[in-house]
């Protein structure tokens, strides 16, 4: 991304009047209804709500995977909802990292190659991309599994590879959609520790989740229902509301 394209000032993400509709007539669904949001740089934001509340739709719009029916999406001071397909794809490759519930790793590529790919697509040289992949796999505790295909990895290991892949292109923001939804308790704890560690590098992180344990690592929690925000909570790490959400209180 050219340096003049994205500002180093202001929020990492912002929306204004964001609406998303699917279908028409009697089948019309208002997935999002006038959402206003700001996410500060370096903030970890969790978004919770029942199925159909609009959480994943919001995440897809923030990452440029879908376009809104109405409203605006801004990434680091640049409005992105009206970009052409090529420009939007280039922005995703260079400024956004995604973590999905179903991992979405490429089965025919090794863990190392999966992590390398976004860096290569973002324009990094093959040598630099390989070095970056090695550093990230070491960071997520999988340096010894770099040459393994996804089929040879556990679910927790695959999700850790997915997190490393999301960081490969050195993105401005990481968007995680139910990142622990397919994991057992032990693997969930590993991935939570990994996501929580991102704050140490000032990474901006937005997590959509059903799991209060996941939400509890955030700085701020937004609850959604029927396409709208219904509650916002500032979380205090280490006690009070945070402990209650995480189920840590006896």
């Amino acid at each position: 991304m050219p340096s003049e394209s994205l500002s180093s000032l202001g929020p990492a993400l912002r929306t204004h009047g964001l609406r998303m509709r699917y279908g028409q007539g009697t089948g019309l669904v208002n997935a999002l209804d006038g959402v206003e949001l700001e996410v500060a740089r370096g903030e970890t934001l969790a978004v919770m709500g029942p199925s159909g509340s609009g959480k994943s739709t919001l995440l897809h719009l923030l990452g440029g995977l879908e376009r809104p029916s109405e409203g605006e999406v801004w990434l680091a001071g640049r409005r992105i909802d009206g970009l052409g397909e090529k420009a939007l794809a280039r922005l995703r490759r260079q400024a956004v990292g995604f973590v999905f519930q179903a991992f979405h790793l490429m089965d025919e590529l090794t863990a190392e190659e999966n992590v390398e790919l976004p860096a290569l697509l973002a324009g990094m040289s093959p040598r630099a991309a390989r070095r970056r992949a090695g550093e990230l796999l070491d960071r997520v505790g999988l340096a010894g599994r770099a040459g393994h295909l996804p089929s040879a990895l556990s679910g927790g290991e695959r999700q850790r590879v997915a997190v490393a892949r999301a960081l490969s292109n050195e993105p401005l923001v990481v968007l995680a959609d139910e990142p622990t939804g397919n994991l057992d308790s032990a693997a969930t704890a590993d991935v939570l520790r990994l996501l929580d560690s991102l704050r140490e590098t000032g990474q901006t992180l937005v997590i959509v989740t059903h799991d209060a344990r996941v939400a509890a690592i955030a700085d701020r929690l937004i609850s959604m229902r029927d396409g709208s925000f219904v509650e916002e909570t500032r979380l205090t790490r280490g006690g009070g509301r945070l402990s209650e959400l995480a189920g840590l209180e006896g």
Side-chain angles (χ1 to χ4, degrees), residues 177-213:
D177 194 356
E178 299 286 0
T180 61
N182 285 334
L183 306 180
D184 60 24
S185 295
T188 291
D190 287 340
V191 172
L192 282 181
R193 282 191 289 270
L194 177 57
L195 292 174
D196 193 33
S197 72
L198 297 184
R199 72 178 61 248
E200 298 173 6
T201 58
Q203 181 68 60
T204 303
L205 176 63
V206 181
I207 309 173
V208 159
T209 183
H210 283 93
D211 192 335
R213 294 172 300 172

Side-chain angles (χ1 to χ4, degrees), residues 138-150:
D138 182 59
R139 179 176 172 184
V140 302
L142 292 175
R145 309 285 277 171
H148 288 66
L149 295 173

Side-chain angles (χ1 to χ4, degrees), residues 24-246:
Q24 56 186 347
T26 58
L28 180 66
V29 175
N30 289 306
L32 289 179
D33 189 15
V35 167
E36 306 281 341
L37 174 68
E38 280 197 7
V39 182
R41 294 169 189 266
E43 181 180 17
T44 297
L45 173 71
V47 182
M48 295 188 73
S51 296
S53 62
K55 333 184 276 301
S56 291
T57 297
L58 173 62
L59 204 72
H60 293 170
L61 293 175
L62 292 176
L65 294 177
E66 295 186 68
R67 296 180 185 273
S69 302
E70 294 180 26
E72 304 171 2
V73 180
W74 295 76
L75 174 64
R78 183 181 185 185
R79 185 172 175 180
I80 68 171
D81 54 274
L83 291 178
E85 291 298 332
K86 289 185 178 179
L88 190 57
R90 185 166 58 249
L91 180 140
R92 285 196 303 265
R93 289 196 299 264
Q94 297 184 335
V96 184
F98 294 97
V99 182
F100 300 100
Q101 179 177 351
F103 317 130
H104 288 190
L105 299 177
M106 298 188 71
D107 293 339
E108 68 275 19
L109 300 182
T110 65
E112 184 176 53
E113 290 166 341
N114 267 285
V115 177
E116 281 179 356
L117 187 58
L120 293 170
L121 292 174
M124 195 176 292
S125 71
R127 177 176 296 181
R130 177 60 57 94
R131 182 171 59 251
R132 173 79 172 157
E135 292 170 351
L136 288 169
L137 286 172
D138 182 59
R139 179 176 172 184
V140 302
L142 292 175
R145 309 285 277 171
H148 288 66
L149 295 173
S151 59
L153 303 175
S154 69
E157 288 173 334
R158 277 178 279 174
Q159 195 60 298
R160 282 188 277 158
V161 171
V163 172
R165 180 188 59 185
L167 299 172
S168 176
N169 59 340
E170 300 179 321
L172 175 67
V173 299
V174 172
L175 305 175
D177 194 356
E178 299 286 0
T180 61
N182 285 334
L183 306 180
D184 60 24
S185 295
T188 291
D190 287 340
V191 172
L192 282 181
R193 282 191 289 270
L194 177 57
L195 292 174
D196 193 33
S197 72
L198 297 184
R199 72 178 61 248
E200 298 173 6
T201 58
Q203 181 68 60
T204 303
L205 176 63
V206 181
I207 309 173
V208 159
T209 183
H210 283 93
D211 192 335
R213 294 172 300 172
V214 179
I217 72 169
D219 302 302
R220 183 165 52 116
L221 167 64
I222 288 175
S223 298
M224 293 189 69
R225 185 180 301 119
D226 299 328
S228 299
F229 294 163
V230 294
E231 183 181 7
E232 180 174 333
T233 305
R234 179 67 61 176
L235 301 180
T236 304
R237 296 174 61 77
R241 177 66 167 156
L242 177 60
S243 296
E244 176 187 337
L245 283 168

